[in-house]
Amino acid sequence: MSDFHLNKVAEADFPTRFGHFRIFGFEGIKTNEVEEAVVLKLGDLSPAGGPALVRIHSECLTGDVFHSLRCDCRSQLELAIEQIAAEGRGLLIYEHQEGRGIGLMNKLRAYELQDQGLDTVEANVKLGFAADLRDYALPAAIIRYLGVKQVRLLSNNPDKVAALENAGIEVVERAPIIAPPTGAATEYLKTKREKMGHLV
Ligand SMILES: [Zn+2]
């Protein structure tokens, strides 16, 4: 991880219907690739206020923007923002990498394969990708950059806890984020639970 470099690109005022945030653009530069993340920060996150509530969300255009019922991304995103707003402090780290890292067009190709009966993991494998390409170097670096030492992570994914702890962030609590399931997302959640170890 020594070749990883974090760069803050921009910071600005960001009022939303959920609350009044600061918005940041960050890029993480590895040897020959650049990852981007947008961060919404609410309130004072200094350690004196206790562990900060943090959500790491991976971009899902179809869910986040179009309210797709093929996955639970949009409802998780809203629940996370609402919980952060209710506490008056916290961080949403929005990773600009579509479909767990496979890219938007490949995600649509995976939908096509799922329509033919494959589950999300099988579809990614058929397209030549690992089930989940994400690593958490960028969010961990962002959390450290913002001076947060301890987090309460809004996640159902134990891998995220382990990845952050490996990167030197203390996860004092994993707070589950359970959106009410919709019909079309039931199979997707079953795959997350049975093949990816998510606690949903
Ligand atoms: Zn999604």
Side-chain angles (χ1 to χ4, degrees):
M1 204 173 284
S2 54
D3 63 341
F4 184 86
H5 175 73
L6 181 73
N7 181 30
K8 185 175 94 171
V9 177
E11 176 184 349
D13 187 42
F14 196 62
T16 74
R17 72 178 169 90
F18 298 100
H20 200 136
F21 294 81
R22 298 290 290 173
I23 190 167
F24 297 78
F26 284 101
E27 55 189 19
I29 301 153
K30 280 183 221 172
T31 333
N32 53 1
E33 59 175 302
V34 179
E35 279 178 88
E36 296 173 334
V38 170
V39 174
L40 301 191
K41 173 177 174 279
L42 187 67
D44 175 8
L45 301 185
S46 58
L53 200 55
V54 173
R55 169 70 183 169
I56 300 169
H57 187 88
S58 193
E59 174 179 301
C60 174
L61 178 95
T62 45
D64 299 341
V65 174
F66 301 129
H67 297 222
S68 165
L69 300 181
R70 296 188 78 116
C71 61
D72 59 349
C73 300
R74 168 75 194 201
S75 40
Q76 289 202 347
L77 180 64
E78 278 197 33
L79 281 172
I81 296 176
E82 283 166 3
Q83 279 177 251
I84 289 166
E87 287 211 359
R89 66 197 286 269
L91 270 190
L92 172 77
I93 299 173
Y94 189 90
E95 299 181 293
H96 184 36
Q97 52 175 214
E98 184 72 31
R100 298 180 185 137
I102 71 172
L104 180 57
M105 290 302 119
N106 282 320
K107 188 169 108 174
L108 298 183
R109 291 169 69 207
Y111 279 1
E112 192 175 282
L113 291 171
Q114 289 159 33
D115 283 353
Q116 294 158 19
L118 277 64
D119 68 33
T120 48
V121 170
E122 290 164 345
N124 279 9
V125 168
K126 180 147 188 182
L127 289 170
F129 298 105
D132 193 333
L133 299 179
R134 290 174 290 180
D135 77 49
Y136 296 100
L138 178 58
I142 290 168
I143 291 167
R144 280 198 303 269
Y145 178 93
L146 293 172
V148 175
K149 308 260 187 265
Q150 293 184 315
V151 304
R152 285 151 53 230
L153 192 65
L154 280 167
S155 178
N156 301 321
N157 184 352
D159 290 346
K160 274 192 197 175
V161 174
L164 282 186
E165 294 210 312
N166 285 340
I169 307 293
E170 191 184 342
V171 181
V172 299
E173 181 192 344
R174 185 185 59 78
I177 181 157
I178 309 290
T182 56
T186 307
E187 279 302 307
Y188 166 86
L189 290 175
K190 187 162 167 271
T191 301
K192 264 190 173 176
R193 189 168 56 239
E194 292 174 359
K195 290 202 169 174
M196 300 174 71
H198 288 209
L199 307 171
V200 293

